[in-house]
Short mmCIF file of all heavy atoms in Angstrom, two decimals:
data_model
loop_
_atom_site.label_atom_id
_atom_site.label_comp_id
_atom_site.label_asym_id
_atom_site.label_seq_id
_atom_site.Cartn_x
_atom_site.Cartn_y
_atom_site.Cartn_z
N TYR J 82 9.14 -12.27 -1.56
CA TYR J 82 9.94 -12.91 -2.57
C TYR J 82 11.24 -13.31 -1.96
O TYR J 82 11.70 -14.49 -2.12
CB TYR J 82 10.23 -11.93 -3.75
CG TYR J 82 11.25 -12.48 -4.73
CD1 TYR J 82 11.00 -13.37 -5.75
CD2 TYR J 82 12.56 -11.97 -4.65
CE1 TYR J 82 11.94 -13.81 -6.64
CE2 TYR J 82 13.57 -12.43 -5.51
CZ TYR J 82 13.22 -13.31 -6.48
OH TYR J 82 14.18 -13.80 -7.39
N ALA J 83 11.92 -12.38 -1.22
CA ALA J 83 13.24 -12.72 -0.62
C ALA J 83 13.10 -13.81 0.41
O ALA J 83 13.89 -14.78 0.46
CB ALA J 83 13.81 -11.43 0.00
N TYR J 84 12.13 -13.75 1.30
CA TYR J 84 11.91 -14.73 2.30
C TYR J 84 11.67 -16.13 1.71
O TYR J 84 12.02 -17.15 2.31
CB TYR J 84 10.75 -14.38 3.24
CG TYR J 84 11.06 -13.41 4.28
CD1 TYR J 84 10.07 -12.94 5.16
CD2 TYR J 84 12.33 -12.81 4.45
CE1 TYR J 84 10.38 -11.97 6.20
CE2 TYR J 84 12.60 -11.85 5.41
CZ TYR J 84 11.62 -11.45 6.28
OH TYR J 84 11.86 -10.53 7.26
N GLY J 85 11.07 -16.17 0.55
CA GLY J 85 10.75 -17.45 -0.10
C GLY J 85 11.88 -18.06 -0.92
O GLY J 85 11.77 -19.17 -1.36
N ARG J 86 12.99 -17.33 -1.05
CA ARG J 86 14.14 -17.91 -1.76
C ARG J 86 14.68 -19.08 -0.96
O ARG J 86 14.81 -19.02 0.22
CB ARG J 86 15.27 -16.91 -2.02
CG ARG J 86 14.81 -15.62 -2.75
CD ARG J 86 13.96 -15.87 -4.01
NE ARG J 86 14.77 -16.46 -5.03
CZ ARG J 86 14.29 -17.02 -6.12
NH1 ARG J 86 12.94 -17.09 -6.33
NH2 ARG J 86 15.07 -17.54 -7.04
N THR J 87 14.99 -20.13 -1.70
CA THR J 87 15.49 -21.39 -1.04
C THR J 87 16.92 -21.74 -1.48
O THR J 87 17.35 -21.36 -2.57
CB THR J 87 14.57 -22.59 -1.31
OG1 THR J 87 14.46 -22.75 -2.72
CG2 THR J 87 13.20 -22.31 -0.71
N ASP J 88 17.66 -22.37 -0.58
CA ASP J 88 18.99 -22.87 -0.89
C ASP J 88 18.87 -24.18 -1.54
O ASP J 88 17.79 -24.78 -1.68
CB ASP J 88 19.88 -22.82 0.34
CG ASP J 88 19.54 -23.83 1.39
OD1 ASP J 88 18.65 -24.70 1.13
OD2 ASP J 88 20.13 -23.83 2.55
N PRO J 89 20.02 -24.82 -1.94
CA PRO J 89 19.94 -26.11 -2.65
C PRO J 89 19.35 -27.22 -1.76
O PRO J 89 18.92 -28.24 -2.32
CB PRO J 89 21.42 -26.38 -2.96
CG PRO J 89 22.03 -25.06 -3.13
CD PRO J 89 21.38 -24.18 -2.11
N GLU J 90 19.34 -27.02 -0.42
CA GLU J 90 18.73 -28.03 0.49
C GLU J 90 17.20 -27.69 0.73
O GLU J 90 16.62 -28.43 1.52
CB GLU J 90 19.47 -28.08 1.77
CG GLU J 90 20.92 -28.54 1.64
CD GLU J 90 21.68 -28.51 2.98
OE1 GLU J 90 21.05 -28.19 3.99
OE2 GLU J 90 22.77 -29.01 3.00
N GLY J 91 16.66 -26.68 0.11
CA GLY J 91 15.33 -26.38 0.27
C GLY J 91 15.03 -25.43 1.48
O GLY J 91 13.82 -25.20 1.74
N LYS J 92 15.97 -24.95 2.17
CA LYS J 92 15.77 -24.10 3.31
C LYS J 92 15.51 -22.68 2.78
O LYS J 92 16.19 -22.14 1.93
CB LYS J 92 16.97 -24.11 4.25
CG LYS J 92 17.26 -25.43 4.87
CD LYS J 92 18.48 -25.51 5.65
CE LYS J 92 18.77 -26.87 6.29
NZ LYS J 92 20.05 -26.91 7.04
N ALA J 93 14.48 -22.07 3.44
CA ALA J 93 14.05 -20.72 2.99
C ALA J 93 14.83 -19.60 3.68
O ALA J 93 15.22 -19.72 4.82
CB ALA J 93 12.60 -20.55 3.20
N TYR J 94 14.99 -18.48 2.93
CA TYR J 94 15.82 -17.35 3.50
C TYR J 94 15.16 -16.86 4.82
O TYR J 94 15.82 -16.64 5.78
CB TYR J 94 15.81 -16.21 2.46
CG TYR J 94 16.71 -15.07 2.87
CD1 TYR J 94 18.02 -14.98 2.46
CD2 TYR J 94 16.22 -14.07 3.70
CE1 TYR J 94 18.89 -13.96 2.85
CE2 TYR J 94 17.00 -13.01 4.09
CZ TYR J 94 18.34 -12.95 3.66
OH TYR J 94 19.11 -11.90 4.05
N GLY J 95 13.85 -16.65 4.78
CA GLY J 95 13.20 -16.14 5.97
C GLY J 95 13.31 -17.02 7.17
O GLY J 95 13.59 -16.52 8.34
N ASP J 96 13.24 -18.30 6.93
CA ASP J 96 13.40 -19.28 8.08
C ASP J 96 14.84 -19.25 8.65
O ASP J 96 15.07 -19.29 9.88
CB ASP J 96 13.05 -20.68 7.66
CG ASP J 96 11.57 -20.77 7.31
OD1 ASP J 96 10.80 -19.98 7.76
OD2 ASP J 96 11.21 -21.77 6.49
N GLU J 97 15.81 -19.24 7.72
CA GLU J 97 17.18 -19.28 8.17
C GLU J 97 17.63 -17.99 8.83
O GLU J 97 18.37 -17.94 9.79
CB GLU J 97 18.12 -19.52 6.97
CG GLU J 97 18.01 -21.02 6.46
CD GLU J 97 18.59 -21.91 7.52
OE1 GLU J 97 19.84 -22.14 7.55
OE2 GLU J 97 17.76 -22.51 8.31
N LEU J 98 17.03 -16.81 8.41
CA LEU J 98 17.29 -15.53 9.09
C LEU J 98 16.83 -15.59 10.50
O LEU J 98 17.56 -15.10 11.43
CB LEU J 98 16.58 -14.46 8.30
CG LEU J 98 16.84 -13.01 8.76
CD1 LEU J 98 18.33 -12.67 8.74
CD2 LEU J 98 16.01 -12.05 7.97
N LYS J 99 15.62 -16.15 10.77
CA LYS J 99 15.16 -16.30 12.14
C LYS J 99 16.07 -17.25 12.92
O LYS J 99 16.35 -17.03 14.10
CB LYS J 99 13.76 -16.85 12.17
CG LYS J 99 12.68 -15.84 11.77
CD LYS J 99 11.26 -16.48 11.80
CE LYS J 99 10.29 -15.62 11.07
NZ LYS J 99 9.04 -16.32 10.73
N ARG J 100 16.43 -18.36 12.28
CA ARG J 100 17.21 -19.46 12.95
C ARG J 100 18.48 -18.91 13.51
O ARG J 100 18.84 -19.23 14.66
CB ARG J 100 17.48 -20.58 11.98
CG ARG J 100 18.18 -21.80 12.67
CD ARG J 100 18.65 -22.75 11.67
NE ARG J 100 19.68 -22.29 10.79
CZ ARG J 100 21.01 -22.22 11.12
NH1 ARG J 100 21.38 -22.59 12.32
NH2 ARG J 100 21.93 -21.72 10.30
N ILE J 101 19.18 -18.06 12.76
CA ILE J 101 20.50 -17.55 13.25
C ILE J 101 20.37 -16.31 14.19
O ILE J 101 21.31 -15.81 14.74
CB ILE J 101 21.49 -17.24 12.10
CG1 ILE J 101 21.04 -16.06 11.27
CG2 ILE J 101 21.72 -18.51 11.28
CD1 ILE J 101 22.17 -15.44 10.49
N GLY J 102 19.09 -15.87 14.33
CA GLY J 102 18.86 -14.78 15.30
C GLY J 102 19.16 -13.35 14.81
O GLY J 102 19.37 -12.51 15.58
N TRP J 103 19.12 -13.19 13.48
CA TRP J 103 19.44 -11.85 12.95
C TRP J 103 18.23 -11.25 12.15
O TRP J 103 18.47 -10.54 11.21
CB TRP J 103 20.72 -11.93 12.12
CG TRP J 103 21.87 -11.87 13.04
CD1 TRP J 103 22.57 -12.88 13.52
CD2 TRP J 103 22.52 -10.70 13.55
NE1 TRP J 103 23.58 -12.48 14.34
CE2 TRP J 103 23.56 -11.11 14.35
CE3 TRP J 103 22.31 -9.30 13.42
CZ2 TRP J 103 24.40 -10.22 15.06
CZ3 TRP J 103 23.08 -8.44 14.08
CH2 TRP J 103 24.15 -8.84 14.93
N LEU J 104 17.04 -11.62 12.52
CA LEU J 104 15.88 -11.01 11.93
C LEU J 104 15.64 -9.65 12.65
O LEU J 104 15.33 -9.65 13.85
CB LEU J 104 14.66 -11.89 12.06
CG LEU J 104 13.32 -11.32 11.68
CD1 LEU J 104 13.29 -10.90 10.19
CD2 LEU J 104 12.16 -12.28 11.97
N GLY J 105 15.81 -8.57 12.00
CA GLY J 105 15.67 -7.27 12.58
C GLY J 105 14.20 -6.78 12.48
O GLY J 105 13.39 -7.44 11.92
N ASP J 106 13.95 -5.66 13.08
CA ASP J 106 12.59 -5.09 13.08
C ASP J 106 12.42 -3.86 12.22
O ASP J 106 11.29 -3.42 12.01
CB ASP J 106 12.18 -4.72 14.55
CG ASP J 106 13.17 -3.80 15.22
OD1 ASP J 106 14.04 -3.25 14.52
OD2 ASP J 106 12.95 -3.56 16.43
N GLU J 107 13.45 -3.38 11.64
CA GLU J 107 13.29 -2.20 10.78
C GLU J 107 12.69 -2.64 9.43
O GLU J 107 13.01 -3.61 8.82
CB GLU J 107 14.66 -1.58 10.43
CG GLU J 107 15.32 -0.78 11.55
CD GLU J 107 16.54 -0.05 11.04
OE1 GLU J 107 16.69 0.10 9.77
OE2 GLU J 107 17.34 0.33 11.90
N GLU J 108 11.77 -1.75 8.94
CA GLU J 108 11.27 -1.97 7.57
C GLU J 108 12.35 -1.82 6.54
O GLU J 108 13.13 -0.88 6.68
CB GLU J 108 10.09 -0.97 7.27
CG GLU J 108 8.84 -1.21 8.15
CD GLU J 108 8.24 -2.64 7.96
OE1 GLU J 108 8.32 -3.15 6.82
OE2 GLU J 108 7.74 -3.14 8.97
N VAL J 109 12.44 -2.71 5.57
CA VAL J 109 13.50 -2.64 4.61
C VAL J 109 13.26 -1.49 3.66
O VAL J 109 12.18 -1.36 3.05
CB VAL J 109 13.63 -4.00 3.86
CG1 VAL J 109 14.80 -3.91 2.90
CG2 VAL J 109 13.73 -5.17 4.85
N GLY J 110 14.27 -0.62 3.56
CA GLY J 110 14.23 0.51 2.62
C GLY J 110 13.67 1.77 3.25
O GLY J 110 13.52 2.82 2.58
N ALA J 111 13.34 1.70 4.56
CA ALA J 111 12.77 2.92 5.25
C ALA J 111 13.77 3.98 5.46
O ALA J 111 13.46 5.17 5.52
CB ALA J 111 12.09 2.48 6.55
N ARG J 112 15.04 3.53 5.52
CA ARG J 112 16.15 4.49 5.71
C ARG J 112 16.33 5.33 4.53
O ARG J 112 16.24 4.84 3.35
CB ARG J 112 17.42 3.74 6.04
CG ARG J 112 17.43 3.08 7.43
CD ARG J 112 18.61 2.19 7.63
NE ARG J 112 18.76 1.75 8.99
CZ ARG J 112 19.49 2.38 9.94
NH1 ARG J 112 20.27 3.39 9.53
NH2 ARG J 112 19.55 1.99 11.17
N LYS J 113 16.71 6.60 4.63
CA LYS J 113 17.02 7.48 3.54
C LYS J 113 18.55 7.78 3.58
O LYS J 113 19.13 8.00 4.59
CB LYS J 113 16.25 8.80 3.72
CG LYS J 113 14.69 8.61 3.74
CD LYS J 113 14.22 7.91 2.51
CE LYS J 113 12.70 7.62 2.62
NZ LYS J 113 12.26 6.57 1.62
#
C-alpha cells in the first residue's frame, strides 16, 4: 500500500525511495 502511494505528479513512493538511494533492507516493524 505504502509503495503504491503516488504524489501529485504520479510518482510512486516505492520508486522514489529507490531513486534517492534510501531503500533499506530491514523488514518494517521487525524492531521491538
